[in-house]
Amino acid sequence: NFSSQAYFWAATAPKRVLPHRHINSQTPRITAGSFHASPGSCLSHKQRKAGLAVCIRNVSSNSSPPKTPDTSLFIPVTLKTDPAVDGTVGLELSQPLDKDELLKVLNRFYKRKEMQKLAADHGLDARLFHQAFISFRKYLLESSALPADLHIVLSDICCGAGHIDDIYPYFMRHAKQIFPMLDCIDDLRKISDLRVPANWYPEARAIQRKVIFHSGPTNSGKTYHAIQRYLAAKSGVYCGPLKLLAHEIFEKSNNAGVPCDLVTGEERTFVDLDGQAAGHVACTIEMCSVTTPYEVAVIDEIQMIRDPSRGWAWTRALLGLCAEEIHVCGETAAIDFIRELMYTTGEEVEVHNYKRLTPFSVLDQAVETLDNLRPGDCVVCFSKNDIYSISRQIEARGLECAVIYGSLPPGTKLSQAKKFNDPDDPCKILVATDAIGMGLNLSIKRIIFNSLVKPNVNEKGEKQMENISTSQALQIAGRAGRFSSKFKEGEVTTMHRDDLPILKELLSHLVEPIETAGLHPTAEQIEMFAYHLPDASLSNLIDIFVSLSQVDGLYFVCNIDDFKFLADMIQHIPLNLRSRYVFCTAPINKKQPFVCTSFLKFARQFSRDDPLTFNWVCRHISWPVAEPKNIKDLVHLEAVHDVLDLYLWLSYRFMDMFPDTASVREIQRKLDNIIQEGVRNITCLIRATDHNITIPQTHTSRRGEITGNSGAAGSNVLTGNRSQRGHRSSGEIMDSSLASRLVRDGLLTPDLLRQLQKEWSKNKREDFTNRQASNAQFHNNTRGKKKKK
């Protein structure tokens, strides 16, 4: 989602004046340095020519032909059938219109190729021409009185005294009334022109900034070096992708004696008791101010500039931050693109290359069974169902495990990470999603990929299952054997034997170079669109904006499906455009029905100009809540936590309407503790949950339902007594990640699943019978041969 919170924060943030401001009057240039004597950091003549070509391309793109609009997005406006101003004057001056004859005349007009071509020249393609004609015909046939001039023209044509083409001016007048965008299409194209985003930030263009790229893999110290410069500066801003990362820098800065504020979408923490802004601020990247001057800015995980949904935030920070030094940290794959992007602004680029501080190796053997787990292992899954399944099987073996996944509150994630890292805690195994890839310091010896398949959203916003990328694999694998942990070397492998060659291939590839950066329409641009199209819905405005928008080869328009989903949800609620836009940028999980319902209620209450008080919120979420008794209860409490996050997020944009921030934050802390307790007892919740999928546990399955069937080497490493492990019967009820995913995605119905299970059991019985018959026949044949001998 595009978050407009940055604009509100930037508008209210106090301005700081730097001691020196360099006017950007120099010739555009790039200088490249190296760190650790990395070759190839300097630009060659060929690269400089390539950079020059970029500038030429950007300039020349402004004269490219306008983008053809997607007319399927043009929704006709319903016209009010008011009586003609001049009443029956037309009827008095001519004669009544014969409806049958008029219909024939209109159909002839519609079929004339000349009229269709003339209309196309004025923006009416075949689709719009047809829609406009249907509306025009209905208007003429159903109106009790037409304007005098139109009535006279139609009467003359019906009598043979006029030409059929005389209808065209009146037809076009009607078409522009129901499609108002036809009259202002050139203005709309100018508003949606996104080809030179660097010009959106005049404060940044007014100074000569220096960009330092800290490049390297995970656990290479690149962010550490950038933060050291940040702490040494008189003023600075840290921009991270996660609240956890912003909070970590906030604490690290204040512990180092450098006063630092914390700014996220849902939280503002000022170290000064009077609320005065400190010299340093740690924030989530959407919240950074592009008007406040700083000495140093740090942009973490710069490779996310190509993220389909959030990439716009990194583009905005990189082009717009008003700082003398911009330190960007990220993958090597982003270096060339950042150089290319900075060439368009004429700013210095310096590259520091770092190597991984501790090595990690890919093992030659898969784990294959949970009996082979060891202390310091982290099993990585890509669905909550797999998390539940694996964690239950681990606990059934008498082992404790920590659990971390994306929808858990930050406090719960930190609590589980602390439990896993504590050398005195019996919990030595972690089961997690790729949420561990950023923001958590974990003492992991071995990363075990339970699967390499993950649901992704493609450029069209469609969900699809595909193998994780090399970048994702490296990010997760890099968590093994971190420099600050007790394990100085890391290991990486898979749970299943078939996945291991795929993982090795993924990790052997270079990360695909970044080629484009994300952009997103701003609230101001959408407001200008709405001025021209006052009757269009917000969702329709966004669609038209994207269809008309023009970007050059360095950029793409970010996915807007989540924004449109929320816009459609509250379209029927009377809100002004700015408020509606802000509501639609709220970061909510649209997969959670309770969160969506709460969002709708918040918007409806807001539209009544009725403040959302603490008591109102408590009634809505049924506070106080009970401790979770099963997984369903736990998932609901996670949704309640998201609803409180939504309240806090809105409270910083509409303070008068969401007044009880402190009280809501207090119950959110209590809720976090309840969820933490639920996650500690997650296997008890799983056992209490009614599962409707039965999977035989006689062998290692393909998707992580792994049984304790063998006495594999290393099986006693963790418990020392195998007999204490809980063994599971072959008919134990549990959740199959693949089966439940198919049911959840609508690819398989529960009835069909049960039928498949029956057929599977039947086939197994038949196979068993056939094997017995074959064995009997084999023994009979053997006996016969012995008798002959």
Side-chain angles (χ1 to χ4, degrees):
N1 283 351
F2 176 82
S3 301
S4 62
Q5 64 264 42
Y7 297 102
F8 293 96
W9 171 247
T12 57
K15 302 292 188 294
R16 285 189 291 274
V17 180
L18 292 176
H20 302 288
R21 296 177 67 90
H22 305 288
I23 303 302
N24 188 2
S25 58
Q26 301 179 15
T27 305
R29 63 192 180 94
I30 291 184
T31 63
S34 66
F35 199 75
H36 295 169
S38 170
S41 293
C42 295
L43 283 178
S44 64
H45 175 67
K46 185 177 180 180
Q47 287 172 316
R48 290 181 184 278
K49 287 179 67 178
L52 182 59
V54 171
C55 283
I56 295 173
R57 177 182 63 185
N58 287 337
V59 173
S60 63
S61 65
N62 288 330
S63 59
S64 59
K67 189 176 177 182
T68 303
D70 181 0
T71 56
S72 65
L73 303 173
F74 291 6
I75 299 173
V77 176
T78 303
L79 298 179
K80 296 178 182 179
T81 55
D82 295 332
V85 177
D86 41 12
T88 59
V89 174
L91 181 60
E92 294 171 359
L93 294 176
S94 57
Q95 58 186 5
L97 293 173
D98 183 341
K99 298 293 184 181
D100 292 335
E101 186 63 29
L102 178 60
L103 183 60
K104 293 177 183 178
V105 168
L106 292 175
N107 288 338
R108 280 174 23 225
F109 171 81
Y110 176 75
K111 293 176 182 178
R112 280 183 60 77
K113 299 296 182 185
E114 294 84 352
M115 293 299 96
Q116 293 179 16
K117 186 178 184 306
L118 191 58
D121 293 340
H122 288 84
L124 281 180
D125 62 6
R127 179 197 300 272
L128 297 186
F129 183 84
H130 178 74
Q131 287 181 291
F133 175 76
I134 297 297
S135 175
F136 185 58
R137 184 179 63 189
K138 181 181 178 181
Y139 164 67
L140 295 181
L141 296 177
E142 295 182 1
S143 295
S144 56
L146 297 173
D149 55 346
L150 177 56
H151 186 104
I152 294 170
V153 167
L154 293 174
S155 177
D156 289 347
I157 295 173
C158 290
C159 296
H163 196 281
I164 197 170
D165 292 355
D166 294 341
I167 298 175
Y168 180 77
Y170 302 97
F171 167 74
M172 279 305 300
R173 183 172 67 185
H174 183 87
K176 290 181 178 180
Q177 286 178 322
I178 65 169
F179 293 116
M181 60 284 296
L182 295 175
D183 248 350
C184 55
I185 196 72
D186 291 336
D187 291 334
L188 297 180
R189 281 198 175 100
K190 289 177 183 177
I191 297 169
S192 58
D193 191 338
L194 307 179
R195 285 176 292 187
V196 194
N199 291 348
W200 302 350
Y201 310 104
E203 290 89 349
R205 301 290 77 77
I207 63 174
Q208 182 65 38
R209 307 182 311 167
K210 180 181 180 182
V211 179
I212 298 97
F213 195 118
H214 299 268
S215 163
T218 56
N219 193 28
S220 60
K222 56 184 183 296
T223 306
Y224 169 82
H225 286 87
I227 293 301
Q228 292 304 111
R229 179 67 187 96
Y230 163 82
L231 295 175
K234 295 178 181 177
S235 63
V237 57
Y238 168 83
C239 309
L242 301 173
K243 287 185 284 187
L244 283 173
L245 285 170
H247 201 275
E248 180 186 345
I249 301 302
F250 165 73
E251 290 187 336
K252 184 178 293 185
S253 183
N254 285 300
N255 291 339
V258 179
C260 177
D261 296 335
L262 175 67
V263 178
T264 70
E266 300 80 16
E267 186 176 2
R268 309 284 190 281
T269 302
F270 296 98
V271 290
D272 186 271
L273 298 178
D274 297 329
Q276 293 294 320
H280 291 68
V281 60
C283 64
T284 45
I285 193 158
E286 288 87 354
M287 295 301 298
C288 68
S289 167
V290 292
T291 57
T292 305
Y294 301 101
E295 182 181 345
V296 169
V298 177
I299 304 174
D300 209 356
E301 306 294 350
I302 189 62
Q303 68 274 5
M304 290 189 71
I305 199 169
R306 67 174 165 192
D307 185 85
S309 300
R310 296 180 66 199
W312 64 267
W314 276 262
T315 305
R316 174 179 173 271
L318 183 61
L319 296 178
L321 278 171
C322 190
E324 292 180 348
E325 291 181 20
I326 308 287
H327 292 255
V328 295
C329 309
E331 296 174 352
T332 306
I335 293 178
D336 290 341
F337 178 74
I338 299 304
R339 280 173 169 162
E340 192 175 6
L341 207 59
M342 290 299 97
Y343 197 92
T344 65
T345 62
E347 292 169 330
E348 289 187 28
V349 176
E350 184 178 307
V351 179
H352 293 184
N353 290 303
Y354 304 86
K355 294 182 179 179
R356 186 176 166 87
L357 299 174
T358 56
F360 77 82
S361 57
V362 184
L363 302 181
D364 292 327
Q365 289 184 331
V367 175
E368 297 196 36
T369 169
L370 295 180
D371 291 328
N372 293 333
L373 291 181
R374 304 194 298 255
D377 278 350
C378 173
V379 182
V380 177
C381 310
F382 293 110
S383 79
K384 286 170 72 172
N385 287 332
D386 286 351
I387 291 278
Y388 300 149
S389 172
I390 296 294
S391 59
R392 182 176 179 182
Q393 293 176 66
I394 290 173
E395 297 263 355
R397 287 161 168 75
L399 310 174
E400 284 192 41
C401 66
V403 173
I404 296 175
Y405 50 87
S407 59
L408 285 176
T412 305
K413 290 178 186 173
L414 290 171
S415 172
Q416 290 290 294
K418 183 179 180 182
K419 176 184 177 183
F420 174 71
N421 289 336
D422 187 353
D424 300 324
D425 197 292
C427 171
K428 301 300 178 189
I429 298 173
L430 176 64
V431 183
T433 63
D434 54 343
I436 64 166
M438 294 181 192
L440 292 169
N441 292 317
L442 298 163
S443 186
I444 298 172
K445 170 65 174 175
R446 181 170 63 167
I447 288 285
I448 303 167
F449 285 90
N450 183 58
S451 168
L452 296 174
V453 178
K454 178 184 177 182
N456 278 328
V457 178
N458 61 21
E459 294 177 354
K460 298 179 181 178
E462 299 167 340
K463 187 177 179 182
Q464 56 189 21
M465 302 298 295
E466 57 183 25
N467 282 343
I468 60 175
S469 66
T470 295
S471 176
Q472 291 169 327
L474 287 169
Q475 186 80 25
I476 297 168
R479 310 306 287 180
R482 290 185 66 81
F483 180 72
S484 58
S485 73
K486 64 180 179 180
F487 301 111
K488 300 308 177 187
E489 290 188 16
E491 297 173 346
V492 183
T493 186
T494 60
M495 183 64 73
H496 307 291
R497 192 181 308 167
D498 295 345
D499 284 338
L500 192 54
I502 301 173
L503 177 64
K504 287 184 176 180
E505 185 179 359
L506 281 172
L507 295 178
S508 66
H509 289 167
L510 293 175
V511 179
E512 289 187 8
I514 294 173
E515 297 178 346
T516 52
L519 295 174
H520 201 288
T522 65
E524 290 75 13
Q525 288 169 325
I526 299 304
E527 280 182 335
M528 286 190 283
F529 249 58
Y531 171 80
H532 290 287
L533 306 174
D535 296 315
S537 68
L538 179 56
S539 178
N540 190 227
L541 285 174
I542 288 287
D543 275 335
I544 296 173
F545 184 97
V546 173
S547 76
L548 291 175
S549 63
Q550 288 185 278
V551 294
D552 66 24
L554 294 176
Y555 302 98
F556 68 93
V557 179
C558 284
N559 187 284
I560 54 170
D561 286 349
D562 288 347
F563 185 98
K564 287 172 54 186
F565 175 83
L566 298 181
D568 289 334
M569 189 189 301
I570 61 172
Q571 180 55 38
H572 65 286
I573 297 176
L575 295 170
N576 65 58
L577 183 67
R578 176 61 69 127
S579 298
R580 189 182 300 278
Y581 182 94
V582 174
F583 264 86
C584 292
T585 60
I588 75 169
N589 183 0
K590 67 179 183 181
K591 297 177 184 176
Q592 286 279 10
F594 183 70
V595 178
C596 293
T597 303
S598 303
F599 174 79
L600 197 58
K601 288 185 176 180
F602 282 12
R604 189 175 292 118
Q605 185 83 349
F606 181 91
S607 71
R608 296 173 185 146
D609 209 19
D610 196 357
L612 287 83
T613 62
F614 175 69
N615 290 334
W616 187 94
V617 173
C618 288
R619 286 196 302 272
H620 172 64
I621 64 173
S622 302
W623 184 265
V625 296
E627 292 187 358
K629 295 182 176 59
N630 50 45
I631 288 296
K632 183 179 179 182
D633 292 346
L634 181 62
V635 171
H636 175 69
L637 292 184
E638 292 170 7
V640 172
H641 193 280
D642 287 347
V643 170
L644 298 182
D645 258 350
L646 174 62
Y647 182 97
L648 295 172
W649 190 91
L650 290 167
S651 72
Y652 287 108
R653 284 122 191 113
F654 308 106
M655 295 182 182
D656 294 341
M657 298 299 293
F658 298 83
D660 297 330
T661 305
S663 301
V664 169
R665 194 177 299 282
E666 181 60 31
I667 65 171
Q668 191 183 44
R669 290 193 191 98
K670 294 178 181 178
L671 177 60
D672 200 338
N673 292 332
I674 295 172
I675 295 174
Q676 286 181 36
E677 193 61 34
V679 173
R680 286 192 197 101
N681 303 316
I682 193 166
T683 51
C684 298
L685 302 184
I686 296 170
R687 283 194 292 271
T689 302
D690 292 329
H691 296 289
N692 56 6
I693 300 173
T694 304
I695 301 294
Q697 296 295 305
T698 56
H699 60 88
T700 300
S701 77
R702 188 68 189 86
R703 285 292 176 190
E705 290 74 32
I706 307 160
T707 63
N709 60 339
S710 64
S715 62
N716 294 330
V717 171
L718 293 161
T719 62
N721 186 357
R722 175 158 185 158
S723 64
Q724 294 177 355
R725 295 180 186 168
H727 291 278
R728 298 137 76 83
S729 65
S730 62
E732 180 175 2
I733 295 177
M734 62 172 294
D735 191 13
S736 164
S737 62
L738 179 58
S740 61
R741 188 182 298 126
L742 292 172
V743 172
R744 185 178 65 246
D745 293 345
L747 301 175
L748 193 65
T749 65
D751 291 339
L752 185 56
L753 179 61
R754 282 190 286 271
Q755 184 179 346
L756 289 172
Q757 288 174 332
K758 290 178 183 177
E759 292 178 5
W760 184 29
S761 300
K762 181 181 177 182
N763 291 337
K764 289 193 71 177
R765 286 195 297 270
E766 291 176 355
D767 289 343
F768 181 73
T769 303
N770 292 336
R771 280 198 302 271
Q772 283 185 322
S774 298
N775 291 337
Q777 185 177 358
F778 173 78
H779 289 306
N780 291 336
N781 293 339
T782 305
R783 289 195 197 97
K785 289 178 181 178
K786 287 180 179 179
K787 287 180 180 179
K788 288 178 181 179
K789 287 181 180 179

